[in-house]
Amino acid sequence: MPTLIFKETEACNSNCIYCDVIARKKPCTISFDLLETVFIRINEYLEKYSNQNFSIVWHGGEPCIVGVKFYNKVLELLDKHCPNTKNRISHDIQTNLTLINQELIDVFKNLGMNRVGTSYEPYKGIRGFGKERDSDAYNRAFFRGIELIEKNGFSWGFIYVVTRNVIDKPLEIFNILTNFKVKGGFQLHPVYSYKNEDKNNVGITAMEFADFLGEIFKEWWEHRQRYPFVQPFFSYMNHYGNGGTVCCSESGQCAYSHIFLGPNGEISHCGRSSDWDVFEVGNIKEVSIIEAFNHAYRKDLEKRNEYLLANDCKGCEYFSLCHGGCPLDGWNYKDTIFAKSEWCAATKVFLKKYFEPITGLKFDSRKYEQLDLSK
Amino acid sequence: MANNVNENDYISWDNLIYIADFLSASGENHVSLLGGEPLLHPQISSIIKYLNQRNLSVTIFTSGIMPIDRLQRFVAELNELQNLRVGFVCNVNEPRFSPKNELERVEQFLTLFANRTSLSFNIYRTDFEMTFLRDYIVRFGLDRHIRLGLAHPIPGKKNKYIPTNEFNSVKDKLIQFFTENQVFGIIPGFDCGFPMCMFSDEELGLMFKLSIGQLCFQCGPAIDIDAELNVWSCFPLSDFNKKSLFDFTTYGELAKFYLEKMEEVRSERRGIYPQCDDCQHNKHGLCSGGCLAHILNGFIEEGDFRRQEK
Amino acid sequence: MKKSGLTYIVDDLSLIRKNIIRDNSVVIKLSNPDDVVGVFQRYYGDYNIYQICLDLGFGSLSQIQFNNDWENIPLVIFAYNLGDLNYILNIVGLIQSCKIRVMQPASNKESYASLKILSSLGVDCGIFFDQEQADSEAFLDLASYYYMSPVPHASIEPFANIKENIHLDYNHSFDEVYFVDEKRFLYIHSEKEFSFLPQSKRLSIYLSDEDFEKEQVNFKLENYYGHFMELDQCSKCKAFKICNHKLSSSFNCDCQQTMAEVFEYAEISETVRR
């Protein structure tokens, strides 16, 4: 099922210290005319591929900033241009929840949504409103948002971005996050920076992230029944047991699974590729979604696994688990997608130094599909 | 003894509850309370009622020697509830060796609790007399059963006890007493430690009939638990492999532990007499060969490790 | 204001007759044991009595003359101690047949053995926290008794509540045992005013439903989310899930360690039960 990361707006009410959007792009929101074109293209795609479903992840910026009128328009366009295919379109949203209200929730329900992805930062000064990053006001609004979505029966999970500000307090962070979201339901993620730009000195190294995860993992392992859904631990446990990927950046199979659309109609591969101006496919006005999925760059993405196995990742026992990491990290590191991610080291060190000794598990690559290198 | 009692000598409610839980989890439905003097516990009536509520019937081993006001309060508290499952085994001494005021108190006790009381008599000297026991039973209308205990050595301690070469003279007096008092229907109950061979076959037959078939010469753990939840197999062996109740999960496990410890000793020496090693009745489990305390006492020259677990 | 699903707590009987109570359940707070039966019988038919809460202050449980009239009264008794244990044991059969929970203060050293006695005899009971600090060792011992005892016994709050809710996927406060939960309990002060806690900000009974919900959220923002705003010790505590700051000043030593152990016991006990 292809996933459309739809950045309908670059506008955002928050000022997060690590955000590329704020740092790099001017705020703008997709026009209704262009929005109409998007749904015409989506319908085109779904009519051609009648056995496929389509997922839209509403993104930003802050997707709630566009207001309820926008999403009512979406509903109208779905009825108008996707009358026979709208049931094969699912909707998700990634929002900071500070602008959510009952009207928006009602229209989200009409779009079939029942869950929300968000992010959370307990420490002050890392995200907040305005230049001064007013975290108190931000968090108050965020907590109200949580209460509102829970009242409406929505489930939610969040991403926690690990920055230099917290790298020395892994257990403290872990306790706060698990107190906030009781069974887990969050993902620990390192902060990414574009070409090592780090004006605010928030970046961390792969080793630092590995050790950060490792310290937390010791605690998590002792009480894994208490908070089962902490990523990436939950996925690694599944990996080692049943095979399967951790997330898109380590799947090695994102060539034909993702597409990105920006507020001006610009098509790219995913959120980060757009932020970094990589994989510029064209504009939805001229290029259909079908054509975007057949773009030449995707063939390169497809070949990446084979190339890495013979080069950067030759002999690596964990290749079938991480596949050299996200192609964009490879590009960020060495200006080419045919390089492994610098974050591979984090994966390897974490698994070797912490995960395997603590759990007693050993990675068995035979649980994964054999790569057919002749293709 | 009462003047020397302090709060730490009394079992706490926490520990009592633990014992009740332990026994309940083990499927037991009875507990005996000993001391010191259990009736001195300021909350003894509450303890009895509590244990009854926990489906444990209670037997209290008492000297019966209590100040009258305390005794009257105790009676009043017990009478507040009907159908209390409590009995008393009153350990009495010969009147000729007892001070007058103690005798008076015992008699008061026997008067008030006659319908719940049987007697116990410990034999620690060979010139003992037992007639007073019959007199008490008849005079106060007590239960006809008499628990007979032989005083055994407590290994490592200097206490009065009957040496094994005096058992015959003890036996003669017992036979004489029970023969003479058959008409009163008095039932002998032999505590453990009597070797079977101290009786002739004829005497065994008589004792079997008088005890209504409850004649037993086997020795096994009669677990004691103190106020601090220390445990041991029985009174004479109170220093032998003393453990904590917390070391065990059930009463069965606890009893098995001490049974095995006793067997370890008996594997070296079957009984108190040399002939016990070859005795068929010992081999068949009919007689345990007397009290283990005598055997351990014999090891006393060989050092502490005999009595303590390593 | 939202009319249904709430429990109103009153200590002024005249407020019971007001219409605000009608569609909700009520906890009636009393301090005189002699009033219990009469109050229950008077209001039972017309009102949904959630509980009668009898607060004896420094009084003992044994000062109450229990009788058969108490049998159907949902009653929670706050007593300083058991008092005459002999009397309690005489009537324990009657207490067992009633719907009574006996609460005793954590600061009173006697409470812990008393609660074990009651629980082992099938009487629901519990511990409550007052202004004085409690002995954390005794508290943990009681928790261990509740969670680990191999024989059946009656519930002891708040341990029972903690265990029942340990597998929820959201933070749950055992405070509901003490009638504190802004989603369920309101303290009625007069015909016009209520609050979420006995001493917290008073609000108007006549709030619209929307404003009432806002106040509930405000209350939670202050009392629960406030920890995450301040990033205080509670927000970083392993046992926050079961404690939610309720006991941070209740013990004579580190509450975090105490409650972390209670958490472990509760988890083990619930896992064994499953």
Side-chain angles (χ1 to χ4, degrees), chain A residues 320-366:
Chain A
S320 53
L321 191 153
C322 90
H323 303 95
C326 177
L328 288 167
D329 288 328
W331 178 86
N332 196 29
Y333 191 32
K334 290 207 175 146
D335 287 325
T336 171
I337 64 167
F338 292 102
K340 70 175 182 182
S341 162
E342 61 176 325
W343 295 101
C344 271
T347 303
K348 211 167 185 172
V349 167
F350 170 69
L351 293 174
K352 268 238 176 303
K353 189 172 165 188
Y354 297 100
F355 187 88
E356 288 184 0
I358 290 170
T359 62
L361 296 172
K362 206 76 185 97
F363 185 66
D364 181 359
S365 57
R366 287 170 302 172

Side-chain angles (χ1 to χ4, degrees), chain A residues 277-328:
Chain A
D277 300 327
V278 182
F279 303 139
E280 289 172 311
V281 174
N283 196 290
I284 195 92
K285 287 182 275 201
E286 291 92 33
V287 177
S288 70
I289 290 176
I290 297 166
E291 286 164 336
F293 270 115
N294 285 315
H295 195 278
Y297 85 84
R298 293 187 187 268
K299 291 200 185 334
D300 287 342
L301 277 176
E302 226 184 351
K303 289 181 197 160
R304 182 174 179 257
N305 284 350
E306 187 182 335
Y307 182 85
L308 288 178
L309 254 184
N311 291 279
D312 284 2
C313 300
K314 189 172 182 179
C316 177
E317 68 208 273
Y318 298 112
F319 181 79
S320 53
L321 191 153
C322 90
H323 303 95
C326 177
L328 288 167

Side-chain angles (χ1 to χ4, degrees), chain B residues 79-222:
Chain B
N79 286 341
E80 285 163 352
L81 281 182
Q82 293 178 347
N83 304 321
L84 270 183
R85 286 163 293 134
V86 61
F88 300 96
V89 175
C90 187
N91 192 64
V92 289
N93 294 319
E94 291 183 55
R96 60 186 166 130
F97 298 129
S98 305
K100 189 178 172 204
N101 64 334
E102 273 187 21
L103 279 177
E104 282 171 359
R105 290 183 179 184
V106 170
E107 289 176 7
Q108 281 160 0
F109 179 88
L110 295 177
T111 304
L112 287 167
F113 291 106
N115 60 342
R116 293 179 185 271
T117 303
S118 63
L119 295 176
S120 164
F121 182 62
N122 283 333
I123 305 165
Y124 63 94
R125 51 195 295 163
T126 52
D127 62 341
F128 66 94
E129 295 281 337
M130 290 176 67
T131 324
F132 78 99
L133 295 168
R134 177 206 62 210
D135 292 342
Y136 276 164
I137 289 173
V138 170
R139 183 174 152 204
F140 296 105
L142 305 179
D143 189 283
R144 304 277 147 163
H145 185 275
I146 300 177
R147 176 199 154 270
L148 295 164
L150 263 183
H152 302 293
I154 299 172
K157 304 245 160 74
K158 292 187 188 320
N159 64 308
K160 281 188 180 172
Y161 64 94
I162 304 289
T164 55
N165 59 356
E166 302 281 8
F167 280 6
N168 266 340
S169 69
V170 167
K171 179 262 302 183
D172 288 340
K173 287 200 171 195
L174 291 175
I175 295 294
Q176 184 186 0
F177 172 80
F178 284 108
T179 307
E180 286 171 0
N181 291 290
Q182 280 186 76
V183 64
F184 296 103
I186 294 178
I187 304 164
F190 290 102
D191 206 16
C192 50
F194 287 82
M196 196 165 80
C197 56
M198 73 191 263
F199 299 94
S200 68
D201 287 350
E202 194 183 333
E203 287 162 349
L204 278 175
L206 173 66
M207 287 294 109
F208 182 79
K209 283 197 286 190
L210 291 176
S211 67
I212 321 178
Q214 300 298 311
L215 207 53
C216 177
F217 296 98
Q218 288 159 343
C219 162

Side-chain angles (χ1 to χ4, degrees), chain A residues 38 50 75 82 92 100 141 151 162 193 196 209 239 271 275 282 292 339 349 356 358-359 363 366:
Chain A
V38 170
S50 55
L75 281 167
C82 312
D92 281 297
I100 196 99
K151 181 189 156 191
V162 180
S193 62
N196 295 323
F209 185 61
H239 258 300
D275 289 342
V349 167
E356 288 184 0
I358 290 170
T359 62
F363 185 66
R366 287 170 302 172

